[in-house]
Amino acid sequence: MWSPRVLSFFILFPSATARLSPSSHRDAACHFHGSPSSSFTSAGLTAFISSAKIGTETVATRKSRPLHLQFPFSEEKKKEKKVDLATSLRTDFISAALLSNQTPRSSKVCLQIGSEDGRVVIYMPKTIEKIISSSLVPDGALPFGIQRMMKQQLTSRGDFDCKLEYPDQRADDLSATPDESVDVVVSLGAGAQMENVGMDWKKSVDEAARVLKPGGRLLFVERTRLGENDDESYLDYVDSITYVPKKAPVKVPASSNKKRKGKKKMEEAAQTAVEVAENAPEEAEEEVAEPLPLFEVGYDDINLVLVPHIAGVAIKDEDSGKLGPRSSASSPSDDEEFARMLSIFERGSKRRKKKKKKGADDDEEPTN
């Protein structure tokens, strides 16, 4: 069996085919046709090679449909990042274990970054109710062939009651998915594939952080090093994402229409508190909150591979909601606020009575 590298040599140097035996030509023909053909002679192979165009072009074979071949010396192909068979099988095994074991059973919505096959439908537990795709095609449309594969895999799982959605969204621009609406985001080798098609894998991680609910998970199996010169770490980028917590707004309880005993006292106490606050010295300007890491990441290097890969789970901070982490308990109810203000008023009232009584006693003292 001749390899494409050997055949590319003969395409570059057609004169070298004159030294081939007829049996060698038949072996070379098997590489393209899949079965030996006694009618494929030396002259036929020479004609086949001479009809081929160097680079990434269509090669017309006799009595067969055109084949699209990518030869190793193609400049465009050199830029692509491929994975060998051993690494592919090993990462698939790890992906299946990761998705089936690290997806919480309470999770209902899953989004895949860079959908290119139906693996995610096979690997996810049956508790998932919806799987959302994203495309590696520049216009964001998921190819029909991939949609069909996902549907076939869903059918093969029998009673897996899951809805498949194919919105028009790129893997690095999940514009069709709302903020904090997804429980699990899956990225299986999407980083290298996005680099191959000119997309930004870092944006896909940022988008995953946006669409995940607080407490949601990013499950990833990716190349350890990415970038044009393999000088960027996928794990380091996930670890570097932070958020700045925001203070929760103070809840001002609405005035109640219920008639309470001592309501007038509460209003007076509130007025007193306002006067005290106005006369109090100005406090120092509040310090800006420190950025906090968005993800808590657990990971491990994948062994038995030729191309270094990493697998991990990144859990989004529970307190990373729109209001940021809450440092205190929830706002008090109207009754609690009333009791607090009444207590302040009563303490002030007792002090005033004592002071007034002491002044009256001083006035009643007889003069000698």
Side-chain angles (χ1 to χ4, degrees), residues 69-367:
L69 303 179
Q70 293 277 0
F71 294 106
F73 54 86
S74 170
E75 291 297 329
E76 182 180 350
K77 199 66 178 177
K78 284 181 180 178
K79 298 178 182 178
E80 292 190 10
K81 294 185 176 179
K82 281 189 169 183
V83 175
D84 58 277
L85 180 60
T87 302
S88 178
L89 292 174
R90 180 62 175 164
T91 53
D92 278 351
F93 176 79
I94 297 297
S95 298
L98 181 70
L99 269 60
S100 60
N101 293 309
Q102 292 298 325
T103 300
R105 296 305 181 257
S106 59
S107 300
K108 302 302 179 185
V109 182
C110 168
L111 183 144
Q112 184 182 16
I113 295 177
S115 305
E116 55 180 351
D117 49 38
R119 285 181 299 168
V120 68
V121 182
I122 302 174
Y123 300 158
M124 294 303 292
K126 291 186 177 181
T127 51
I128 290 292
E129 298 177 355
K130 183 194 297 184
I131 295 177
I132 305 170
S133 67
S134 62
S135 177
L136 293 170
V137 180
D139 63 1
L142 190 68
F144 176 74
I146 299 176
Q147 296 184 30
R148 183 174 59 184
M149 278 191 287
M150 295 179 71
K151 291 177 182 177
Q152 289 174 347
Q153 299 298 347
L154 181 62
T155 303
S156 68
R157 295 197 64 183
D159 59 345
F160 187 15
D161 186 15
C162 179
K163 181 182 179 182
L164 301 179
E165 290 189 359
Y166 318 107
D168 290 344
Q169 59 182 4
R170 291 162 49 112
D172 60 350
D173 182 14
L174 307 177
S175 55
T177 306
D179 297 354
E180 299 181 1
S181 61
V182 177
D183 298 299
V184 178
V185 173
V186 177
S187 182
L188 305 179
Q193 295 296 332
M194 292 171 68
E195 286 189 342
N196 289 340
V197 297
M199 293 186 183
D200 189 348
W201 64 269
K202 292 182 180 179
K203 287 184 179 179
S204 71
V205 179
D206 295 337
E207 284 290 272
R210 178 183 64 83
V211 302
L212 274 174
K213 298 177 181 177
R217 299 190 176 193
L218 169 62
L219 308 180
F220 59 89
V221 177
E222 294 288 349
R223 281 178 179 257
T224 305
R225 310 294 298 182
L226 292 168
E228 186 175 355
N229 300 315
D230 292 337
D231 55 353
E232 297 174 334
S233 169
Y234 188 91
L235 181 64
D236 288 348
Y237 188 78
V238 175
D239 266 331
S240 69
I241 300 177
T242 59
Y243 74 100
V244 178
K246 301 177 182 177
K247 290 187 64 177
V250 178
K251 179 181 177 182
V252 179
S255 58
S256 175
N257 293 326
K258 297 179 181 179
K259 292 184 178 180
R260 292 191 183 95
K261 185 179 179 180
K263 184 177 179 182
K264 185 176 181 181
K265 291 184 178 181
M266 187 188 74
E267 292 176 353
E268 292 175 356
Q271 182 64 29
T272 304
V274 171
E275 293 175 356
V276 170
E278 289 177 351
N279 297 327
E282 295 184 2
E283 296 181 358
E285 187 176 351
E286 186 178 358
E287 296 182 359
V288 179
E290 289 287 334
L292 301 176
L294 183 64
F295 289 114
E296 181 181 356
V297 184
Y299 69 94
D300 198 1
D301 295 322
I302 301 177
N303 60 354
L304 304 178
V305 293
L306 299 180
V307 180
H309 276 67
I310 193 169
V313 180
I315 304 177
K316 189 175 180 180
D317 194 337
E318 288 277 4
D319 293 326
S320 63
K322 295 179 180 178
L323 298 180
R326 283 120 173 116
S327 57
S328 59
S330 57
S331 300
S333 63
D334 288 351
D335 291 333
E336 292 171 340
E337 184 69 12
F338 173 80
R340 187 179 70 84
M341 298 299 294
L342 184 60
S343 175
I344 294 173
F345 175 80
E346 287 177 347
R347 288 197 301 269
S349 179
K350 288 179 181 178
R351 285 195 296 269
R352 287 194 296 272
K353 286 181 179 178
K354 288 181 179 179
K355 187 176 181 180
K356 187 176 181 181
K357 184 177 180 181
K358 184 178 179 181
D361 293 341
D362 292 340
D363 294 338
E364 291 177 0
E365 287 183 1
T367 56

Side-chain angles (χ1 to χ4, degrees), residues 23-100:
S23 60
S24 300
H25 295 311
R26 286 195 296 273
D27 292 340
C30 292
H31 182 76
F32 297 97
H33 288 273
S35 61
S37 174
S38 57
S39 62
F40 201 80
T41 61
S42 176
L45 180 60
T46 305
F48 170 80
I49 293 174
S50 63
S51 67
K53 295 181 180 179
I54 298 175
T56 0
E57 298 292 342
T58 301
V59 180
T61 62
R62 189 171 58 147
K63 296 182 180 180
S64 65
R65 61 183 181 181
L67 298 176
H68 294 271
L69 303 179
Q70 293 277 0
F71 294 106
F73 54 86
S74 170
E75 291 297 329
E76 182 180 350
K77 199 66 178 177
K78 284 181 180 178
K79 298 178 182 178
E80 292 190 10
K81 294 185 176 179
K82 281 189 169 183
V83 175
D84 58 277
L85 180 60
T87 302
S88 178
L89 292 174
R90 180 62 175 164
T91 53
D92 278 351
F93 176 79
I94 297 297
S95 298
L98 181 70
L99 269 60
S100 60

